[in-house]
């Protein structure tokens, strides 16, 4: 077998990590991303609080860590990016690498757009009062803008002043130049950090990987000291074991651990390929996976405490409005009924004068209703959390901290995405060896920036949701399945165990072999099938922000037009088509080689030997 | 309390007023008064130590104070600062990369100069400085054939 990885395609030595810490921080930074902050707490909250940890940990142990180990080990052994690794294992599997490259490319397009929004909010946080704290005035300055009045200041700032969103996905609108400027800035920052490959990201990662932990700790301390935080934490973490009977919980736990560790994108393979050949990747795997899960938990404590504070705040305002009605109706002295007395006073009035009480427009103020209002994704960061920050003393400072944390979190994940694109390109030798790496990186960043301009259109948010929901999930599960099967059965378990013995000093134990051969492939297959089943049953629809909607500010449920539905379906499986395409190509090439007559081959050999 | 008579009691303190022009001895039209009040609302409020929520003029909707708009939006200032820093850093990195590459290609010609300069007491043996031989990278000795080339290719 040819020693894949012996010769660098561009000549010279393969770049290497300056020290082990940079490698670990890069993998941790790639794995820990925005999903740890805004997806995991939402899942915890929706699926029975602490009970969600059970399927999450099971998925981590049976699916996340084994696949992660395979990626790190194969990258470190074969010392190539994703395309080189899979071509080396078997030429028929080369499509897996190309597919990973395609999905990484699509993911980096919309991931950096989210970072653009975060940057926009960060730039707007350096002022007091914060721009999303008040509505703009209407034309004759006698009241507030109608749209803002009907929804809320934070929603208005997000949907109108940031996105300037249209009411329909087919209505493209114009390019928002503010978002375009921020997009250029965020791609410039990414380029600055990725310009020399791991040489430059290795230095930037010290800050971008560690800063979020510092900010999370600050938020944790601040959050826990806010009123109402502890009640929120207790309510949100109280386990509801009944929820485990719902199969959807297990599916969501498995997909969450899969995307949380950023598996099957090719980034970890790329990072591991720069390692020295003798490096204990088993310890690295377990360390990084555990750090990722611990970060999710840590972040959810901080997020829940702030959400608990917000719920308590809203609950207090609700009580105040009801108290005002009571005071006005029954002529109580001003401020005589405190929030604590409200329940007793209401009960007393209900007992003595129920008809007058019934005529009042009292709202039902239950703390649990406010705590149940959950949000994930951009809704959590840009609407719920920004509103919570408004009520904290020193709001601009907290906003700056929060959005810079989100920016550095996303940036460190972008490093992994860019490496998973650039490393295979460099390994394939697409450019001449004297073509500088800086220029290749610049070209890739420029191409991504130009394509991502379509997300700065007014309907960009809808397109981002399309890409987020359909481009990555199915393809990554398919690629992970092929990875596990490819390494275990095509490369051979025995050869792989020998490689691991060479790298870590001992052969993989029974746990690893059982999970690689049986458990993980079966789990991945069942996730794939379940995902398709869920997708087939849910109608392809989206929620639009339509000011003309009868029930505005609720978002209007609309179904995608036909061509968008076709795009969704195409995105679901188009990257996976690389696998059969490359396999077919290899098969045809082999058949053509076999069809040459013996004489032709012998004469070819003679010609080459003579030269 | 005595000798205080109340009439037309309403829920809140309210009164009607007219403004007369002393020189012409007639009341000024309501429209003029309304626009005057609208322009000086703040001063009238302050005279009573009240605000727009507690002192209401019927038929005069209060105009709200717009949020203070700086001449240059703040986000543009910070954006320009960050963008300039990033562009400068990118330029520096690209230039240093070009310079490194030029230095590498000029490398062999500079070894002769170190002999004359003798700056850092580099031990010299047979005209070749010993330092490069001790570094981790080393030099590729082209006299030795690498493993792959031992076998003649087909």
């Amino acid at each position: 077998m040819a020693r894949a990885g012996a010769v660098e395609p561009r000549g010279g030595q393969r770049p290497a990590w300056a020290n082990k810490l940079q490698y670990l921080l890069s993998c941790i930074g790639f794995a820990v991303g925005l999903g740890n902050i805004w997806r995991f707490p939402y899942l915890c909250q929706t699926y029975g609080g602490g009970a969600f940890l059970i399927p999450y940990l099971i998925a981590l142990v049976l699916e996340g860590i084994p696949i992660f180990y395979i990626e790190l080990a194969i990258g470190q052994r074969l010392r190539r990016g994703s395309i080189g690794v899979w071509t080396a294992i078997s030429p028929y599997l080369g499509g897996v690498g190309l597919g990973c490259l395609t999905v990484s490319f699509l993911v980096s397009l919309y991931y950096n757009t989210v970072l653009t929004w975060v940057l926009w909010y960060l730039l707007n946080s350096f002022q007091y009062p914060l721009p999303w704290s008040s509505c703009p005035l209407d034309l004759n300055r006698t009241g507030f803008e109608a749209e803002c009045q009907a929804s809320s200041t934070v929603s208005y700032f997000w949907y109108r002043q940031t996105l300037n969103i249209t009411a329909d996905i087919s209505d493209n609108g114009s390019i928002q130049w503010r978002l375009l400027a921020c997009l250029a800035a965020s791609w410039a920052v990414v380029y600055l950090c990725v310009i020399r490959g791991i040489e430059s990201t290795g230095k930037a990662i010290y800050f971008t990987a560690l800063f979020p932990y510092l900010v999370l700790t600050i938020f944790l301390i601040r959050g826990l000291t806010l009123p109402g935080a502890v009640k929120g934490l207790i309510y949100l973490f109280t386990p509801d074991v009944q929820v485990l009977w719902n199969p959807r919980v297990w599916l969501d736990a498995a997909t969450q651990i899969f995307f949380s560790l950023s598996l099957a994108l090719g980034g970890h393979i790329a990072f591991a390929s720069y390692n020295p050949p003798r490096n204990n990747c088993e310890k690295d795997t377990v360390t990084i996976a555990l750090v990722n899960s611990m970060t999710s938990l840590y972040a959810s404590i901080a997020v829940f405490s702030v959400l608990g504070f917000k719920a308590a705040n809203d609950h207090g305002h609700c009580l105040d409005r009801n108290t005002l009605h009571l005071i006005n109706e029954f002529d109580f002295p001003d401020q005589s009924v405190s929030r604590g007395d409200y329940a007793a006073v209401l009960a007393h009035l209900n007992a003595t004068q129920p008809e007058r009480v019934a005529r009042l427009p009292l709202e039902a103020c239950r703390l649990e209703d406010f705590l149940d209002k959950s949000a994930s994704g951009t809704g959590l960061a840009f609407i719920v959390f920004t509103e919570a920050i408004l009520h904290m003393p020193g709001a601009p400072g907290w906003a700056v901290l929060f959005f810079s944390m989100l920016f550095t979190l996303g940036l460190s994940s972008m490093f992994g995405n860019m490496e998973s694109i650039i490393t295979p390109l460099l390994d394939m030798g697409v450019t001449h060896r004297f073509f500088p790496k800086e220029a290749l990186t610049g070209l890739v960043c420029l191409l991504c920036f130009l394509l991502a301009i379509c997300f700065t259109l007014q309907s960009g948010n809808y397109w981002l949701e399309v890409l987020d929901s359909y481009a990555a999930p199915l393809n990554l599960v398919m690629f992970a399945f092929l990875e596990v099967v490819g390494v275990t059965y095509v490369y051979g378990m025995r050869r792989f165990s020998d490689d691991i013995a060479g790298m870590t000093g001992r052969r993989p134990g029974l746990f690893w072999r059982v999970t690689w051969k049986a458990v993980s492939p079966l789990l991945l297959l069942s996730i794939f099938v379940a995902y398709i089943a869920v997708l087939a049953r849910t109608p392809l629809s989206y929620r639009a922000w339509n000011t003309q909607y009868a029930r505005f500010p609720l978002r209007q449920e609309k179904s995608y037009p036909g061509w968008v539905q076709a795009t969704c379906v195409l995105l679901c499986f188009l990257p996976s088509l690389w696998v059969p395409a490359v396999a077919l190509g290899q098969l045809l090439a082999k058949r053509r080689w076999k069809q040459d007559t013996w004489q032709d081959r012998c004469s070819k050999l003679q010609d080459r030997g003579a030269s | 309390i005595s000798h205080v008579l109340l009439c037309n009691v309403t829920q809140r303190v309210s009164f009607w007023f007219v403004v007369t022009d002393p020189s012409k001895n007639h009341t000024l039209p309501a429209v003029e008064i309304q626009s005057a009040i609208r322009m000086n609302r703040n001063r009238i409020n302050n005279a009573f130590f009240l605000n727009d929520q507690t002192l209401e003029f019927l038929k005069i909707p209060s105009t709200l104070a717009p949020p203070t708009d700086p001449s240059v939006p703040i986000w543009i200032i910070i954006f320009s600062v960050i963008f300039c820093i990033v562009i400068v850093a990118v330029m520096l990195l690209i230039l240093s990369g070009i310079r490194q590459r030029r230095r590498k290609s000029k490398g062999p010609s500079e070894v002769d100069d170190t002999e004359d300069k003798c700056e850092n007491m580099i031990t010299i043996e047979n005209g070749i400085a010993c330092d490069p031989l001790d570094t981790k990278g080393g030099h590729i000795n082209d006299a030795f054939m690498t493993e792959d080339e031992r076998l003649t290719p087909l």
Side-chain angles (χ1 to χ4, degrees), chain B residues 49-109:
Chain B
F49 287 108
L50 296 171
N51 56 26
D52 278 354
Q53 273 78 43
T54 37
L55 177 63
E56 185 188 354
F57 289 90
L58 294 176
K59 290 195 218 151
I60 303 182
S62 57
T63 55
L64 301 162
T68 49
D69 243 348
S71 51
V72 181
I74 293 194
W75 73 270
I76 291 189
I77 300 176
I78 305 171
F79 170 79
S80 340
V81 168
I82 295 182
F83 203 58
C84 288
I85 295 179
V86 169
I87 295 293
V88 166
V90 166
M91 291 293 155
L92 283 176
L93 278 177
I94 294 181
L95 284 173
S96 75
I98 295 177
R99 214 175 324 141
Q100 241 175 30
R101 214 155 299 157
R102 222 175 278 162
R103 212 182 302 150
K104 239 188 278 178
S105 59
K106 267 198 280 178
S109 62

Side-chain angles (χ1 to χ4, degrees), chain A residues 84-260:
Chain A
V85 156
W86 299 112
T87 323
I89 289 184
S90 156
Y92 294 104
L93 279 182
V96 177
L98 279 169
C100 288
L101 185 88
T102 317
V103 175
S104 290
F105 183 73
L106 291 173
V107 167
S108 53
L109 283 184
Y110 72 78
Y111 207 85
N112 215 20
T113 309
V114 177
L115 282 192
T116 306
W117 296 334
V118 172
L119 183 65
W120 163 256
Y121 267 80
L122 176 64
L123 293 176
N124 274 300
S125 305
F126 286 96
Q127 50 190 299
Y128 183 78
L130 290 169
W132 55 83
S133 62
S134 59
C135 278
L137 302 176
D138 62 11
L139 284 168
N140 50 6
R141 290 169 42 174
T142 51
F144 296 121
E145 279 260 356
E147 189 181 346
C148 191
Q149 189 89 318
S151 53
S152 71
T153 56
V154 281
S155 304
Y156 181 77
F157 186 77
W158 168 236
Y159 284 111
R160 191 53 51 211
Q161 286 175 321
T162 305
L163 300 175
N164 200 5
I165 205 165
T166 51
D168 199 273
I169 191 173
S170 41
D171 183 7
N172 277 331
S174 55
I175 294 186
Q176 300 302 298
W177 65 270
R178 295 171 201 184
L179 287 183
L180 187 66
C182 291
L183 185 74
S186 61
W187 273 112
V189 172
V190 169
Y191 178 51
L192 170 67
C193 297
V194 184
I195 190 168
R196 292 222 193 113
I198 61 168
E199 214 186 296
S200 45
T201 60
K203 299 200 178 48
I205 202 74
Y206 284 119
F207 177 70
T208 59
L210 295 176
F211 179 70
Y213 287 99
L214 175 68
V215 176
L216 267 179
T217 311
I218 297 177
F219 260 100
L220 186 72
I221 298 175
R222 173 76 263 220
L224 287 176
T225 54
L226 287 169
V230 181
K231 241 190 259 183
L233 270 176
I234 296 176
Y235 179 75
L236 293 165
F237 268 124
T238 315
D240 172 20
V241 194
Q242 290 300 316
V243 83
L244 291 179
W245 298 120
N246 180 7
R248 195 62 203 272
V249 179
W250 296 87
L251 175 66
D252 277 341
T255 46
Q256 169 62 17
I257 197 66
F258 191 80
F259 301 128
S260 180

Side-chain angles (χ1 to χ4, degrees), chain B residues 13-30:
Chain B
V13 177
S14 65
F15 48 87
W16 295 88
F17 65 97
V18 291
V19 180
T20 52
D21 188 351
S23 55
K24 298 204 185 109
N25 205 20
H26 68 77
T27 60
L28 294 168

